[in-house]
């Protein structure tokens, strides 16, 4: 089954699309509370919202979509909620992988996912294997991830390589450092979207967002629609990116 095509709003300039969009999928709990539902119902609704956004990114020919699904700090939540999120992840991967595969989406998982419960690790391995040769949208599911932890682990790996003589200390550059991050050969995000009304980064892709355009909205993630993505892209296209240089 192929995704239903969305019509691309004419105000969007197809020549100036973000290559990489990152989203902090936040506000599930507050959405559920507003509806008088348990928090987990918000997480399930959030997974539904993701499906439409992935489809829209496919239609727009976006190269990379990174979605923050569970942070290293989210383990602080009650075990019951963490468990329910893990079950949802498993269900989402099982249920969505075929559809993603048919739509040429390549799944990537960023974060310390190998430390997750065994049943999830197995499903992730399967999903990665099934979609590894796909050439369409790269969907980075960011799981058990923290930006600081990622930078520290890159530092440790570089130290080990220096000690083993694989690289010399003088060779360490931004380009080399980048290869030790989960995002390795992917372009940095051009646009970062955070719904839910919080105006913060919450330890997401700290290294990679140095020059990313940030876009915030009060909408809770389960209510985030393709139109909202289009709105973010339209705003992105109005911004002037200077990267420290001067206006062209
Ligand atoms: C984001 O929604 C999902 C995860 C962090 C797993 P929240 O659960 O943080 O929802 P709010 O912020 O409490 O509304
Ligand atoms: C960030 O949201 C993590 C994810 C969306 C997965 P949080 O809800 O954990 O962030 P804080 O606690 O509001 O900063
Ligand atoms: Mg939150």
């Amino acid at each position: 089954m192929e995704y239903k095509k969305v019509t691309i709003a004419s105000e969007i300039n197809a020549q100036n699309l973000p290559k990489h969009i990152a989203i902090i999928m936040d506000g599930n709990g507050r959405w559920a509370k507003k509806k008088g539902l348990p928090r987990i119902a918000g997480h399930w609704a959030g997974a539904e919202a993701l499906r439409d956004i992935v489809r829209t990114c496919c239609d727009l020919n976006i190269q990379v979509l990174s979605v923050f699904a569970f942070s290293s700090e989210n383990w602080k939540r009650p075990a019951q909620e963490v468990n329910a999120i893990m079950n949802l992840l498993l269900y989402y991967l099982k249920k969505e992988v075929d559809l993603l595969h048919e739509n040429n989406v390549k799944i990537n998982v960023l974060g310390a996912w190998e430390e997750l419960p065994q049943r999830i690790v197995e499903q992730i391995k399967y999903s990665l294997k099934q979609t590894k040769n796909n050439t369409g949208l790269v969907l980075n599911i960011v799981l058990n991830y923290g930006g600081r932890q990622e930078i520290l682990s890159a530092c440790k790996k570089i130290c080990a390589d220096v000690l083993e003589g694989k690289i010399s200390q003088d060779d360490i550059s931004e380009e080399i450092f980048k290869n030790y991050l989960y995002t390795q050969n992917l372009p940095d995000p051009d646009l970062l979207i955070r719904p839910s009304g919080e105006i913060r980064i919450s330890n997401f892709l700290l290294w990679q967002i140095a020059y990313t355009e940030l876009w915030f909205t009060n909408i809770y993630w389960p209510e985030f629609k393709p139109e909202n993505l289009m709105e973010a892209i339209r705003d992105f296209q109005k911004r002037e990116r200077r990267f420290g240089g001067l206006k062209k």
Side-chain angles (χ1 to χ4, degrees), residues 152-166:
L152 278 180
S153 111
C155 290
K156 286 184 190 166
K157 286 184 223 151
I158 291 186
C159 286
D161 282 356
V162 169
L163 288 173
E164 284 175 31
K166 287 188 188 155

Side-chain angles (χ1 to χ4, degrees), residues 3 34 86 91 101 113 117 147 157 185 189 192 226:
Y3 289 127
K34 188 176 82 173
M86 293 299 150
Y91 179 84
H101 182 50
W113 60 269
K157 286 184 223 151
N185 36 26
L192 168 68

